[in-house]
Amino acid sequence: MEKLKRYIIFLIGLFINSLGVSLITKANLGTSPISSIPYVLSLNFPFTLGQFTIAFSLLLILIQLIILRRSFKAEHLLQIPISILFGYFIDLTMVMLFFVEPQNYLSSVIYLLIGCLILGFGVYTEVLANVAMLPGESFVRAVSSTWKTEFGSTKVAFDVSLTVIAAVLSLLFAHRLDGVREGTIIAALLVGFIARLFGRWLSFLPSLLFGFPESRQNQAMRVLSERQDQTSQPPSENQDSAPHTVIVIGRQYGSGGHDIGKALAEKLGFDFYDNEIIQMTAGSTGYTPQFVKDREENMTNSLLYDLVSQMYIYSDTREAPRDAIFESEGKVIRELAEKGNCVILGRCADYFLRDRKDCLKVYLHAPEDYRIKRIMKNENLSEEDARQKIRKMDRRRSDNYHYYTKRVWGHSGNYDLTLDTGIGAEAVQEIICHMMTQVSKSHAD
């Protein structure tokens, strides 16, 4: 029954895809990169866009067979009927949209954006169904898996190549750019981005449709759709009855959280984890420690990040690097917490361990003037440079925390204890120790 439901969803997504492609094409500002070659050919030969789409898709399937050779599986042949159906859907929707005739540039842009929105939702639906891929995305997967290239870069190169070839064909046959315009670039930038946003906004759909959290059907979609389910594991009996042996510390930049956390761990005889998490994450993701360090807790702009990472929406083998780092760090933090008796610094640890009863969640903050003086001294910066760095780092940590947890960084409701480190490091440590003792007693009672 579930398999049937997935195929129905996929067919719906396929039709939505065709509707989006047709509307983008009807906007008369070019078409999506994957349809650019068929569209240019349809403008110069007596065959429809849908017919050329079928022919082009079959060509991509043949090239996949050549690339993959023995790795080409029988399931890949499913792309053939899908391609034929998709081509007929495009011709059908082109007829359905007969009334779309932009009279000016503004109306063309509006139709283009609506088409991108529809196509983006269609891509999301296709990924949600998790039964097959269209030949274009499957071709990119074949290339990246065979030659071990990075999926996102390969997808970009593929789209650019299609657009360039379409432009050359247009100049060759029509002696002008016809069918490849600004709309092609806009569609290339927006469609995957929109699909990724739908994945975040509709993260409840997998459970609603299939009765359980989405499986590893697609790494990028898994990050978007399962993020909260994966970090919301029910507490075990030991977690319910154990005293607080794990302390997680969130901190404002320059508040002294690292030094306080390390001193606290030494005082209690606990393990202390900060940069060690970077090393463990690097080992599990295959990225270098420096690569992980540069990207963890460092979200410059969530919309820009979704735009840059949009290509991963098509990949079922690799997710966006920052998403992979977040997931891996969560796994590392949960494993470290299982060992007990430790202090863990930052990295959304309060969120990953929010359901544990043996975890004391602390947030450290301080007045800006206090933090500026610390950064000036520790990093040998001017007052203005220290101020700018503090604001930049706080903003990035806040954006990263909110993007992945959907919670407000530093909000007292997320923690058991919030402290102003301006009262002194020793005082902060004493309060944390006292709090841990009191809560441990309450559990014992």
Side-chain angles (χ1 to χ4, degrees), residues 44-63:
N44 293 278
F45 294 94
F47 294 97
T48 66
L49 173 58
Q51 290 169 337
F52 273 118
T53 297
I54 294 172
F56 183 63
S57 297
L58 294 177
L59 175 62
L60 291 178
I61 296 171
L62 178 61
I63 298 175

Side-chain angles (χ1 to χ4, degrees), residues 113 116 152-153 155-156 159 184-198 200-201 220 224 299-314 320-323 403-404:
L113 295 179
C116 289
S153 301
K155 183 67 170 66
V156 171
D159 286 348
T184 305
I185 299 174
I186 293 173
L189 292 174
L190 287 186
V191 172
F193 170 73
I194 292 170
R196 187 175 169 88
L197 291 183
F198 274 121
R200 291 176 57 196
W201 296 338
L224 300 170
M299 181 71 69
T300 54
N301 182 286
S302 59
L303 288 178
L304 180 60
Y305 171 63
D306 275 326
L307 182 61
V308 171
S309 303
Q310 52 138 327
M311 293 303 174
Y312 292 92
I313 197 73
Y314 302 98
R322 198 186 302 274
D323 293 342
Y403 179 86
Y404 283 110

Side-chain angles (χ1 to χ4, degrees), residues 127-161:
V127 175
L128 175 66
N130 186 35
V131 291
M133 296 180 73
L134 291 175
E137 284 68 60
S138 187
F139 175 85
V140 175
R141 179 179 61 180
V143 171
S144 62
S145 62
T146 300
W147 287 290
K148 310 302 180 185
T149 59
E150 200 274 324
F151 186 93
S153 301
T154 306
K155 183 67 170 66
V156 171
F158 178 65
D159 286 348
V160 170
S161 299

Side-chain angles (χ1 to χ4, degrees), residues 352-391:
F352 289 120
L353 304 179
R354 67 191 184 281
D355 293 326
R356 293 185 65 102
K357 302 302 181 183
D358 60 347
C359 177
L360 179 65
K361 296 174 282 294
V362 180
Y363 182 76
L364 302 181
H365 58 91
E368 188 176 80
D369 289 344
Y370 174 85
R371 293 189 288 147
I372 288 174
K373 290 178 181 178
R374 286 195 75 255
I375 296 301
M376 289 173 62
K377 178 181 178 181
N378 294 340
E379 301 187 25
N380 194 29
L381 296 177
S382 67
E383 180 177 348
E384 183 58 31
D385 288 343
R387 177 181 288 104
Q388 290 183 6
K389 186 169 185 179
I390 283 172
R391 292 177 179 177

Side-chain angles (χ1 to χ4, degrees), residues 30 53 64 124 135 140 147 165 202 219 224 273 283-284 291 344 393 399:
T53 297
Q64 287 178 58
Y124 163 75
V140 175
W147 287 290
I165 293 172
L202 303 178
Q219 291 283 1
L224 300 170
Y273 298 112
S284 62
F291 185 91
I344 301 175
M393 295 301 294
D399 289 348

